[in-house]
Amino acid sequence: MSSLSRAFAAAATRAMAAPSPAPAGPGPGGVDWSRIHPDPGAVPRPELFYTIMNGLLYIGVFAAGGALLAGLIAFGVGPIFGAHIASDRGRSMMWKGVLIAFGVGSFTAIMAFLMGSL
């Protein structure tokens, strides 16, 4: 064994050796996860947040209702004028409008359930 390989083996042994003295417990920069919890009282002006969310809810419901109405019109008028592609698109728009209306309308109930306030 050459002297270079012995020096390399000794350096590797020193680098992989356990530190002395051994560290005790978590270090000084650790996070105490038991003290972290959500505090709803720390949210500034929560009534503004709920007002904005209710406004977005109504905008979403009206947009979904508009998509449903537009799809209904395209589905009904398409065959009259021989535009079967518009009729098919109107039918798919109606389904999408209904599904989006259910999703937007039930979002507040789902969030209330997930937050545990139901």
Side-chain angles (χ1 to χ4, degrees):
M1 191 175 211
S2 70
S3 62
L4 182 60
S5 62
R6 277 183 280 189
F8 181 71
T13 304
R14 282 192 308 272
M16 293 189 306
S20 94
V31 175
D32 185 9
W33 292 103
S34 65
R35 297 180 61 198
I36 296 176
H37 59 279
D39 183 14
V43 177
R45 297 178 56 186
E47 69 278 352
L48 178 65
F49 173 74
Y50 287 116
T51 303
I52 291 171
M53 287 296 110
N54 283 331
L56 290 176
L57 171 71
Y58 286 116
I59 289 172
V61 168
F62 286 134
L68 178 64
L69 183 63
L72 184 63
I73 291 170
F75 180 65
V77 174
I80 294 171
F81 295 108
H84 296 289
I85 293 174
S87 178
D88 290 339
R89 288 186 182 168
R91 184 177 48 202
S92 67
M93 193 184 309
M94 284 191 311
W95 282 109
K96 290 174 187 175
V98 168
L99 292 176
I100 290 171
F102 278 127
V104 168
S106 64
F107 179 72
T108 55
I110 292 169
M111 288 307 295
F113 175 75
L114 292 177
M115 298 294 281
S117 63
L118 247 183

XYZ file of all heavy atoms in Angstrom:
840
model
N 0.850 -1.165 0.000
C 0.000 0.000 0.000
C 0.898 1.231 0.000
O 1.812 1.354 0.795
C -0.882 -0.058 1.240
C -1.985 0.933 1.243
S -2.989 0.620 2.696
C -4.527 1.108 2.129
N 0.626 2.157 -0.863
C 1.476 3.326 -0.980
C 1.165 4.322 0.132
O 0.130 4.247 0.809
C 1.290 3.961 -2.349
O 0.019 4.542 -2.417
N 2.014 5.247 0.310
C 1.830 6.245 1.367
C 0.654 7.182 1.061
O -0.030 7.654 1.960
C 3.110 7.050 1.570
O 3.412 7.760 0.377
N 0.421 7.422 -0.227
C -0.702 8.269 -0.613
C -2.029 7.607 -0.275
O -2.939 8.251 0.254
C -0.628 8.584 -2.112
C -1.713 9.503 -2.665
C -1.660 10.859 -1.970
C -1.585 9.648 -4.149
N -2.152 6.325 -0.549
C -3.398 5.639 -0.240
C -3.585 5.510 1.268
O -4.715 5.580 1.768
C -3.444 4.272 -0.917
O -2.390 3.460 -0.443
N -2.498 5.336 2.057
C -2.618 5.298 3.524
C -3.042 6.651 4.068
O -3.876 6.720 4.978
C -1.285 4.872 4.152
C -1.118 3.387 4.150
C 0.136 3.030 4.831
N 1.169 3.271 3.781
C 2.413 2.928 3.881
N 2.869 2.382 4.956
N 3.257 3.147 2.902
N -2.526 7.724 3.512
C -2.917 9.064 3.960
C -4.386 9.330 3.611
O -5.132 9.902 4.424
C -2.022 10.118 3.312
N -4.799 8.870 2.430
C -6.195 9.042 2.041
C -7.112 8.229 2.951
O -8.176 8.701 3.370
C -6.377 8.627 0.580
C -7.780 8.798 0.080
C -8.312 10.063 -0.131
C -8.575 7.687 -0.149
C -9.603 10.214 -0.574
C -9.870 7.838 -0.598
C -10.392 9.106 -0.809
N -6.748 7.006 3.302
C -7.550 6.159 4.177
C -7.629 6.774 5.575
O -8.695 6.759 6.221
C -6.961 4.757 4.250
N -6.541 7.345 6.079
C -6.553 7.974 7.401
C -7.434 9.222 7.397
O -8.193 9.460 8.356
C -5.128 8.332 7.822
N -7.380 10.010 6.338
C -8.221 11.207 6.248
C -9.690 10.822 6.157
O -10.555 11.457 6.779
C -7.805 12.038 5.044
N -10.014 9.758 5.421
C -11.396 9.302 5.319
C -11.894 8.785 6.663
O -13.039 9.022 7.056
C -11.511 8.220 4.256
N -11.055 8.096 7.418
C -11.441 7.585 8.730
C -11.720 8.735 9.687
O -12.690 8.709 10.449
C -10.332 6.675 9.291
O -10.065 5.644 8.350
C -10.752 6.060 10.603
N -10.876 9.770 9.658
C -11.095 10.940 10.527
C -12.372 11.686 10.136
O -13.103 12.165 10.997
C -9.899 11.887 10.453
C -8.718 11.453 11.257
C -7.683 12.565 11.383
N -7.288 13.152 10.093
C -6.314 12.690 9.324
N -5.614 11.646 9.710
N -6.026 13.270 8.184
N -12.664 11.780 8.831
C -13.836 12.515 8.377
C -15.124 11.784 8.731
O -16.145 12.418 9.014
C -13.763 12.729 6.870
N -15.093 10.460 8.745
C -16.308 9.704 9.027
C -16.452 9.341 10.500
O -17.447 8.731 10.887
C -16.333 8.432 8.178
C -16.478 8.732 6.689
S -16.778 7.305 5.644
C -15.457 6.216 6.056
N -15.534 9.704 11.319
C -15.613 9.373 12.746
C -16.723 10.180 13.404
O -17.072 11.280 12.978
C -14.279 9.669 13.423
N -17.322 9.627 14.462
C -18.377 10.316 15.198
C -17.805 11.561 15.856
O -16.662 11.555 16.338
C -18.966 9.388 16.243
N -18.585 12.642 15.892
C -18.067 13.861 16.518
C -17.927 13.682 18.020
O -18.635 12.915 18.650
C -19.124 14.910 16.189
C -20.373 14.146 15.946
C -19.941 12.822 15.403
N -16.997 14.404 18.561
C -16.827 14.338 20.017
C -16.791 15.760 20.537
O -16.098 16.590 19.979
C -15.557 13.569 20.362
O -14.467 14.426 20.530
N -17.499 16.131 21.523
C -18.530 15.328 22.187
C -19.778 15.209 21.304
O -20.022 16.030 20.431
C -18.838 16.122 23.439
C -18.540 17.528 23.070
C -17.402 17.462 22.086
N -20.591 14.189 21.567
C -21.793 13.946 20.769
C -22.821 15.041 21.049
O -22.966 15.476 22.196
C -22.368 12.583 21.114
N -23.526 15.517 20.029
C -24.533 16.548 20.263
C -25.694 16.002 21.099
O -26.108 14.862 20.951
C -24.995 16.934 18.861
C -24.583 15.807 17.982
C -23.419 15.154 18.625
N -26.234 16.849 21.959
C -27.335 16.452 22.840
C -28.617 17.140 22.396
O -28.727 18.356 22.473
C -27.009 16.817 24.278
N -29.595 16.355 21.924
C -30.913 16.901 21.583
C -30.880 17.770 20.344
O -29.884 17.841 19.635
N -31.999 18.457 20.089
C -32.037 19.335 18.913
C -31.129 20.539 19.106
O -30.923 21.006 20.223
C -33.502 19.747 18.809
C -34.060 19.559 20.169
C -33.263 18.449 20.807
N -30.621 21.008 18.004
C -29.704 22.142 18.062
C -30.407 23.436 18.426
O -31.634 23.502 18.556
N -29.654 24.511 18.596
C -30.245 25.784 18.998
C -31.119 26.416 17.913
O -31.960 27.239 18.208
C -29.036 26.661 19.294
C -27.930 26.066 18.493
C -28.216 24.596 18.437
N -30.968 26.003 16.677
C -31.749 26.597 15.601
C -32.961 25.767 15.214
O -33.593 26.039 14.212
N -33.324 24.763 15.995
C -34.440 23.889 15.656
C -35.786 24.567 15.840
O -35.933 25.567 16.529
N -36.810 24.018 15.200
C -38.161 24.549 15.268
C -38.961 23.705 16.240
O -38.972 22.479 16.150
C -38.837 24.529 13.877
C -40.274 24.976 13.959
C -38.067 25.386 12.903
N -39.649 24.347 17.166
C -40.518 23.639 18.102
C -41.899 23.538 17.469
O -42.714 24.454 17.551
C -40.578 24.389 19.433
C -41.356 23.633 20.475
O -41.697 22.454 20.228
O -41.635 24.199 21.545
N -42.181 22.419 16.803
C -43.407 22.246 16.042
C -44.639 22.155 16.943
O -45.752 22.332 16.465
C -43.315 21.010 15.157
C -42.306 21.178 14.070
C -41.064 20.641 14.030
C -42.437 21.956 12.881
N -40.417 21.035 12.883
C -41.240 21.843 12.162
C -43.467 22.750 12.354
C -41.039 22.470 10.944
C -43.256 23.364 11.143
C -42.063 23.230 10.448
N -44.476 21.871 18.207
C -45.637 21.775 19.095
C -46.236 23.145 19.403
O -47.373 23.233 19.851
C -45.240 21.077 20.394
O -44.300 21.882 21.109
N -45.515 24.221 19.156
C -46.013 25.564 19.437
C -46.621 26.249 18.221
O -47.102 27.369 18.326
C -44.869 26.431 19.981
C -44.325 25.899 21.309
C -43.210 26.730 21.833
N -43.688 28.085 22.073
C -42.901 29.133 22.198
N -41.612 28.983 22.077
N -43.408 30.323 22.424
N -46.604 25.583 17.066
C -47.133 26.173 15.846
C -48.555 25.658 15.640
O -48.798 24.457 15.590
C -46.260 25.808 14.639
C -44.878 26.420 14.820
C -46.906 26.267 13.347
C -43.899 26.070 13.753
N -49.515 26.560 15.544
C -50.918 26.220 15.310
C -51.611 27.420 14.662
O -51.194 28.556 14.835
C -51.619 25.833 16.614
C -51.584 26.921 17.642
N -50.482 27.151 18.434
C -52.506 27.843 18.001
C -50.733 28.182 19.236
N -51.949 28.616 18.999
N -52.702 27.161 13.914
C -53.396 28.274 13.264
C -54.120 29.141 14.280
O -54.656 28.655 15.270
C -54.386 27.587 12.318
C -54.552 26.223 12.863
C -53.282 25.881 13.573
N -54.139 30.443 14.038
C -54.817 31.386 14.925
C -55.745 32.247 14.076
O -55.307 33.216 13.457
C -53.781 32.253 15.648
C -54.419 33.203 16.639
O -55.612 33.001 16.958
O -53.738 34.128 17.094
N -57.056 31.907 14.011
C -57.953 32.702 13.176
C -58.123 34.129 13.683
O -58.513 35.009 12.927
C -59.276 31.938 13.221
C -59.143 30.911 14.269
C -57.704 30.773 14.629
N -57.845 34.387 14.948
C -57.953 35.739 15.486
C -56.854 36.666 15.001
O -56.947 37.877 15.136
N -55.812 36.096 14.412
C -54.694 36.910 13.941
C -54.914 37.453 12.535
O -54.098 38.221 12.038
C -53.408 36.089 13.969
N -56.006 37.064 11.884
C -56.292 37.552 10.533
C -56.857 38.963 10.634
O -57.865 39.183 11.298
C -57.294 36.623 9.817
C -57.635 37.165 8.445
C -56.731 35.224 9.714
N -56.235 39.948 9.992
C -56.763 41.309 10.064
C -57.999 41.482 9.191
O -58.022 41.037 8.040
C -55.604 42.172 9.572
C -54.810 41.267 8.697
C -54.992 39.881 9.243
N -59.031 42.072 9.729
C -60.286 42.390 9.041
C -60.870 41.172 8.326
O -60.983 41.148 7.097
C -60.065 43.518 8.056
C -59.638 44.806 8.738
C -59.373 45.915 7.792
N -60.540 46.177 6.940
C -60.524 47.017 5.947
N -59.426 47.678 5.671
N -61.591 47.212 5.220
N -61.263 40.132 9.059
C -61.803 38.938 8.392
C -63.132 39.206 7.688
O -63.464 38.515 6.730
C -61.972 37.934 9.535
C -62.094 38.761 10.757
C -61.261 39.991 10.505
N -63.908 40.214 8.144
C -65.181 40.497 7.483
C -64.970 40.958 6.046
O -65.783 40.674 5.169
C -65.997 41.519 8.278
C -65.426 42.919 8.288
C -64.308 43.135 9.311
O -64.055 42.253 10.123
O -63.677 44.199 9.262
N -63.859 41.647 5.769
C -63.540 42.055 4.410
C -63.256 40.834 3.535
O -63.709 40.755 2.397
C -62.343 43.008 4.404
C -61.869 43.490 3.036
C -62.942 44.335 2.376
C -60.585 44.263 3.172
N -62.533 39.882 4.092
C -62.244 38.647 3.363
C -63.530 37.914 3.011
O -63.716 37.474 1.876
C -61.325 37.751 4.206
C -61.101 36.393 3.623
C -60.282 36.227 2.525
C -61.718 35.282 4.166
C -60.079 34.974 1.986
C -61.525 34.034 3.633
C -60.701 33.877 2.540
N -64.439 37.787 3.974
C -65.696 37.082 3.712
C -66.573 37.854 2.723
O -67.281 37.246 1.919
C -66.446 36.822 5.008
C -65.807 35.740 5.833
C -65.280 36.007 7.084
C -65.707 34.444 5.344
C -64.679 35.016 7.832
C -65.108 33.454 6.080
C -64.596 33.733 7.319
O -63.997 32.754 8.049
N -66.539 39.168 2.761
C -67.298 39.961 1.798
C -66.769 39.741 0.385
O -67.545 39.554 -0.566
C -67.228 41.453 2.166
O -67.720 41.624 3.490
C -68.038 42.297 1.205
N -65.462 39.724 0.230
C -64.853 39.488 -1.082
C -65.175 38.079 -1.570
O -65.542 37.877 -2.732
C -63.329 39.724 -1.024
C -63.036 41.212 -0.820
C -62.650 39.210 -2.286
C -61.591 41.508 -0.549
N -65.092 37.097 -0.681
C -65.374 35.716 -1.075
C -66.843 35.533 -1.461
O -67.154 34.837 -2.434
C -65.014 34.742 0.054
C -63.538 34.554 0.248
S -62.757 33.807 -1.186
C -61.812 35.145 -1.821
N -67.757 36.168 -0.737
C -69.169 36.083 -1.104
C -69.437 36.764 -2.442
O -70.231 36.283 -3.243
C -70.052 36.685 -0.015
C -70.214 35.754 1.154
O -70.152 34.543 0.995
N -70.410 36.314 2.335
N -68.776 37.894 -2.700
C -68.906 38.561 -3.992
C -68.416 37.682 -5.126
O -69.063 37.574 -6.170
N -67.255 37.020 -4.937
C -66.738 36.112 -5.962
C -67.653 34.908 -6.150
O -67.807 34.405 -7.268
C -65.329 35.656 -5.588
C -64.235 36.714 -5.675
C -62.912 36.161 -5.185
C -64.101 37.223 -7.091
N -68.279 34.457 -5.059
C -69.214 33.348 -5.158
C -70.390 33.720 -6.053
O -70.757 32.965 -6.962
C -69.716 32.954 -3.769
C -70.853 31.940 -3.714
C -70.351 30.573 -4.119
C -71.448 31.908 -2.330
N -70.984 34.894 -5.840
C -72.112 35.313 -6.658
C -71.707 35.571 -8.105
O -72.453 35.238 -9.030
C -72.788 36.549 -6.062
C -73.593 36.202 -4.838
C -73.245 36.710 -3.600
C -74.690 35.365 -4.920
C -73.978 36.385 -2.476
C -75.428 35.036 -3.801
C -75.068 35.549 -2.577
O -75.783 35.218 -1.476
N -70.535 36.132 -8.324
C -70.051 36.325 -9.694
C -69.883 34.979 -10.386
O -70.264 34.805 -11.550
C -68.727 37.135 -9.694
C -69.000 38.580 -9.306
C -68.057 37.055 -11.065
C -67.739 39.385 -9.092
N -69.343 33.989 -9.678
C -69.185 32.657 -10.255
C -70.508 31.993 -10.573
O -70.662 31.351 -11.615
N -71.487 32.143 -9.674
C -72.799 31.547 -9.927
C -73.463 32.219 -11.122
O -74.056 31.548 -11.979
C -73.678 31.629 -8.659
C -75.109 31.288 -8.974
C -73.143 30.695 -7.593
N -73.380 33.549 -11.220
C -73.972 34.243 -12.369
C -73.259 33.872 -13.668
O -73.903 33.722 -14.714
C -73.957 35.758 -12.172
C -74.972 36.232 -11.171
C -74.611 37.142 -10.197
C -76.278 35.775 -11.200
C -75.540 37.582 -9.265
C -77.217 36.210 -10.281
C -76.848 37.115 -9.310
N -71.951 33.723 -13.640
C -71.216 33.321 -14.843
C -71.615 31.908 -15.271
O -71.807 31.647 -16.467
C -69.714 33.398 -14.592
N -71.755 31.001 -14.308
C -72.175 29.644 -14.647
C -73.607 29.644 -15.171
O -73.932 28.901 -16.109
C -72.043 28.738 -13.431
N -74.464 30.461 -14.590
C -75.840 30.580 -15.097
C -75.867 31.152 -16.501
O -76.666 30.731 -17.345
N -75.008 32.115 -16.778
C -74.913 32.673 -18.136
C -74.438 31.635 -19.134
O -74.939 31.576 -20.270
N -73.460 30.800 -18.721
C -72.996 29.731 -19.611
C -74.112 28.729 -19.871
O -74.279 28.245 -20.994
C -71.784 29.034 -19.008
N -74.899 28.434 -18.845
C -76.022 27.521 -19.016
C -77.059 28.100 -19.974
O -77.542 27.413 -20.875
C -76.661 27.221 -17.658
C -77.881 26.312 -17.656
C -77.503 24.929 -18.147
C -78.471 26.244 -16.268
N -77.381 29.368 -19.812
C -78.360 30.011 -20.686
C -77.857 30.102 -22.126
O -78.600 29.819 -23.074
C -78.695 31.400 -20.153
C -79.762 32.176 -20.909
C -81.092 31.433 -20.836
C -79.898 33.566 -20.334
N -76.597 30.466 -22.315
C -76.035 30.546 -23.667
C -76.003 29.169 -24.322
O -76.296 29.022 -25.514
C -74.630 31.147 -23.622
N -75.655 28.140 -23.542
C -75.665 26.783 -24.084
C -77.059 26.326 -24.444
O -77.258 25.644 -25.458
N -78.041 26.694 -23.623
C -79.428 26.342 -23.908
C -79.915 26.996 -25.200
O -80.565 26.351 -26.032
C -80.320 26.753 -22.740
C -81.787 26.390 -22.824
C -81.942 24.883 -22.851
C -82.533 26.980 -21.657
N -79.558 28.250 -25.387
C -79.949 28.963 -26.618
C -79.280 28.330 -27.835
O -79.923 28.077 -28.855
C -79.615 30.461 -26.507
C -80.530 31.123 -25.461
C -79.743 31.154 -27.856
C -80.129 32.530 -25.106
N -77.969 28.052 -27.748
C -77.256 27.451 -28.883
C -77.785 26.054 -29.172
O -77.918 25.658 -30.338
C -75.761 27.397 -28.602
N -78.124 25.308 -28.125
C -78.647 23.953 -28.312
C -80.036 23.976 -28.953
O -80.364 23.127 -29.769
C -78.696 23.237 -26.959
C -79.212 21.836 -27.029
C -78.520 20.857 -27.706
C -80.398 21.490 -26.403
C -78.993 19.558 -27.762
C -80.883 20.201 -26.456
C -80.174 19.227 -27.133
N -80.834 24.977 -28.582
C -82.184 25.059 -29.138
C -82.235 25.663 -30.513
O -83.033 25.248 -31.363
N -81.408 26.639 -30.802
C -81.471 27.362 -32.067
C -80.615 26.687 -33.146
O -80.908 26.830 -34.337
C -81.039 28.834 -31.861
C -80.951 29.587 -33.168
C -81.991 29.529 -30.913
N -79.601 25.937 -32.763
C -78.695 25.315 -33.730
C -79.387 24.458 -34.765
O -79.177 24.634 -35.975
N -80.254 23.501 -34.376
C -80.903 22.659 -35.392
C -81.874 23.425 -36.290
O -82.106 23.022 -37.434
C -81.671 21.627 -34.563
C -81.004 21.607 -33.251
C -80.474 22.975 -33.033
N -82.435 24.516 -35.796
C -83.378 25.295 -36.611
C -82.671 25.867 -37.837
O -83.214 25.866 -38.945
C -84.022 26.412 -35.773
C -84.903 25.810 -34.686
C -84.821 27.367 -36.642
C -85.420 26.815 -33.676
N -81.437 26.340 -37.630
C -80.688 26.953 -38.727
C -79.722 25.979 -39.392
O -78.919 26.373 -40.219
C -79.931 28.179 -38.221
C -80.826 29.287 -37.756
C -80.949 29.590 -36.414
C -81.576 30.015 -38.663
C -81.777 30.601 -35.984
C -82.416 31.033 -38.245
C -82.518 31.329 -36.885
N -79.770 24.717 -39.018
C -78.891 23.719 -39.625
C -77.474 23.758 -39.103
O -76.575 23.218 -39.738
N -77.261 24.379 -37.979
C -75.921 24.471 -37.387
C -75.795 23.425 -36.282
O -75.936 23.711 -35.101
C -75.678 25.870 -36.847
N -75.553 22.195 -36.695
C -75.493 21.104 -35.723
C -74.236 21.170 -34.858
O -74.241 20.686 -33.726
C -75.589 19.763 -36.442
C -76.903 19.586 -37.135
N -78.075 19.380 -36.447
C -77.235 19.617 -38.450
C -79.072 19.270 -37.302
N -78.587 19.416 -38.541
N -73.179 21.756 -35.384
C -71.961 21.921 -34.578
C -72.230 22.886 -33.432
O -71.833 22.633 -32.285
C -70.787 22.409 -35.459
C -70.399 21.318 -36.459
C -69.595 22.784 -34.596
C -69.365 21.744 -37.462
N -72.921 23.982 -33.703
C -73.275 24.928 -32.641
C -74.195 24.274 -31.627
O -74.091 24.520 -30.424
C -73.931 26.166 -33.230
N -75.086 23.402 -32.092
C -75.980 22.695 -31.187
C -75.200 21.754 -30.271
O -75.467 21.687 -29.066
C -77.014 21.896 -31.986
O -77.850 21.179 -31.120
N -74.228 21.041 -30.829
C -73.401 20.150 -30.000
C -72.571 20.932 -29.001
O -72.422 20.525 -27.841
C -72.484 19.304 -30.889
C -73.257 18.261 -31.673
O -74.390 17.926 -31.260
O -72.716 17.796 -32.702
N -72.028 22.053 -29.438
C -71.263 22.890 -28.513
C -72.153 23.484 -27.433
O -71.744 23.633 -26.284
C -70.539 23.996 -29.272
C -69.385 23.466 -30.061
C -68.586 24.562 -30.700
N -67.503 23.993 -31.480
C -66.788 24.687 -32.333
N -67.027 25.965 -32.519
N -65.826 24.106 -33.004
N -73.377 23.835 -27.789
C -74.322 24.348 -26.804
C -74.673 23.303 -25.772
O -74.792 23.601 -24.578
N -74.820 22.057 -26.194
C -75.111 20.981 -25.249
C -73.954 20.783 -24.271
O -74.153 20.658 -23.068
C -75.396 19.686 -26.004
C -75.792 18.550 -25.090
C -76.130 17.306 -25.843
N -75.094 17.022 -26.845
C -75.292 16.280 -27.908
N -76.473 15.775 -28.139
N -74.312 16.043 -28.751
N -72.716 20.792 -24.782
C -71.564 20.637 -23.881
C -71.415 21.860 -22.982
O -71.012 21.734 -21.826
C -70.285 20.390 -24.682
O -69.927 21.530 -25.430
N -71.771 23.039 -23.483
C -71.704 24.245 -22.659
C -72.724 24.181 -21.531
O -72.454 24.637 -20.414
C -71.942 25.488 -23.521
C -71.581 26.791 -22.828
S -71.967 28.277 -23.784
C -71.223 27.961 -25.350
N -73.886 23.582 -21.780
C -74.888 23.441 -20.728
C -74.374 22.536 -19.619
O -74.509 22.846 -18.432
C -76.191 22.865 -21.291
C -77.017 23.843 -22.066
S -78.657 23.264 -22.461
C -78.401 21.654 -23.126
N -73.773 21.404 -19.987
C -73.233 20.507 -18.968
C -72.132 21.183 -18.156
O -72.075 21.043 -16.938
C -72.688 19.236 -19.612
C -73.757 18.275 -19.976
C -74.180 17.949 -21.219
C -74.581 17.535 -19.071
N -75.210 17.049 -21.155
C -75.478 16.773 -19.840
C -74.641 17.443 -17.689
C -76.409 15.931 -19.273
C -75.578 16.600 -17.121
C -76.450 15.859 -17.900
N -71.269 21.888 -18.844
C -70.188 22.582 -18.135
C -70.739 23.655 -17.213
O -70.265 23.832 -16.090
C -69.211 23.200 -19.137
C -68.394 22.179 -19.885
C -67.549 22.834 -20.963
C -66.859 21.814 -21.827
N -66.133 22.434 -22.935
N -71.755 24.390 -17.671
C -72.364 25.420 -16.828
C -72.997 24.843 -15.581
O -72.864 25.392 -14.484
N -73.683 23.708 -15.725
C -74.308 23.060 -14.564
C -73.250 22.563 -13.590
O -73.351 22.779 -12.373
C -75.224 21.903 -15.030
C -75.642 21.032 -13.866
C -76.434 22.445 -15.741
N -72.209 21.912 -14.095
C -71.161 21.392 -13.205
C -70.415 22.519 -12.495
O -70.102 22.419 -11.308
C -70.192 20.522 -14.005
C -70.776 19.205 -14.532
C -69.754 18.483 -15.394
C -71.222 18.336 -13.380
N -70.134 23.592 -13.206
C -69.446 24.727 -12.579
C -70.347 25.385 -11.552
O -69.893 25.784 -10.473
C -68.967 25.722 -13.652
C -67.821 25.108 -14.448
C -68.513 27.030 -13.025
C -67.414 25.898 -15.650
N -71.640 25.490 -11.830
C -72.564 26.077 -10.856
C -72.614 25.239 -9.582
O -72.603 25.784 -8.472
C -73.954 26.210 -11.466
N -72.657 23.913 -9.731
C -72.633 23.060 -8.540
C -71.317 23.203 -7.785
O -71.291 23.262 -6.563
C -72.851 21.595 -8.913
C -74.284 21.228 -9.100
C -74.691 20.615 -10.257
C -75.226 21.495 -8.115
C -76.020 20.265 -10.449
C -76.548 21.152 -8.291
C -76.952 20.538 -9.460
N -70.213 23.246 -8.521
C -68.912 23.378 -7.862
C -68.758 24.689 -7.132
O -68.314 24.728 -5.978
N -69.143 25.785 -7.775
C -69.009 27.102 -7.146
C -69.989 27.233 -5.982
O -69.653 27.751 -4.923
C -69.240 28.219 -8.191
C -69.395 29.563 -7.533
C -68.084 28.259 -9.165
N -71.210 26.725 -6.169
C -72.209 26.838 -5.115
C -71.890 26.004 -3.898
O -72.224 26.377 -2.768
N -71.235 24.878 -4.083
C -70.927 24.020 -2.943
C -69.556 24.302 -2.349
O -69.187 23.673 -1.352
C -71.012 22.558 -3.373
O -70.035 22.280 -4.348
N -68.808 25.233 -2.910
C -67.461 25.507 -2.407
C -67.477 25.969 -0.951
O -66.662 25.532 -0.155
C -66.772 26.554 -3.287
C -65.389 26.901 -2.818
C -64.357 26.002 -2.975
C -65.131 28.109 -2.200
C -63.081 26.306 -2.543
C -63.865 28.424 -1.759
C -62.841 27.515 -1.933
N -68.416 26.841 -0.605
C -68.450 27.326 0.781
C -68.797 26.210 1.745
O -68.239 26.136 2.837
C -69.449 28.485 0.928
O -70.721 28.049 0.443
C -69.001 29.695 0.160
N -69.694 25.308 1.358
C -70.035 24.187 2.223
C -68.850 23.232 2.376
O -68.596 22.726 3.473
C -71.244 23.452 1.676
N -68.137 23.002 1.293
C -66.980 22.123 1.358
C -65.906 22.724 2.255
O -65.312 22.036 3.095
C -66.424 21.849 -0.060
C -67.430 21.015 -0.853
C -65.077 21.149 -0.023
C -67.103 20.910 -2.329
N -65.631 24.017 2.094
C -64.613 24.665 2.929
C -65.029 24.691 4.393
O -64.209 24.497 5.283
C -64.326 26.084 2.421
C -63.561 26.107 1.116
S -62.034 25.123 1.125
C -61.069 26.017 2.308
N -66.318 24.928 4.666
C -66.795 24.914 6.050
C -66.638 23.525 6.650
O -66.248 23.383 7.815
C -68.254 25.367 6.107
N -66.895 22.504 5.869
C -66.719 21.139 6.358
C -65.249 20.848 6.644
O -64.899 20.267 7.675
C -67.265 20.137 5.345
C -67.008 18.709 5.720
C -67.754 18.114 6.723
C -66.033 17.972 5.073
C -67.519 16.795 7.076
C -65.798 16.664 5.419
C -66.540 16.066 6.419
N -64.373 21.258 5.719
C -62.940 21.008 5.911
C -62.371 21.807 7.085
O -61.460 21.346 7.758
C -62.181 21.339 4.623
C -62.451 20.416 3.446
C -61.698 20.890 2.211
C -62.046 18.990 3.786
N -62.903 22.987 7.322
C -62.418 23.802 8.436
C -63.036 23.355 9.771
O -62.660 23.850 10.821
C -62.731 25.275 8.183
C -62.059 25.827 6.952
S -60.285 25.887 7.094
C -60.110 27.345 8.081
N -64.015 22.439 9.723
C -64.581 21.915 10.949
C -65.647 22.780 11.585
O -65.986 22.598 12.746
N -66.187 23.743 10.852
C -67.185 24.620 11.439
C -68.600 24.180 11.115
O -69.552 24.847 11.448
C -66.978 26.056 10.962
O -67.159 26.129 9.559
N -68.768 23.050 10.435
C -70.107 22.543 10.127
C -70.612 21.677 11.251
O -69.953 20.993 11.905
C -70.051 21.721 8.842
C -70.770 22.246 7.640
C -70.691 21.307 6.483
C -72.082 22.827 7.828
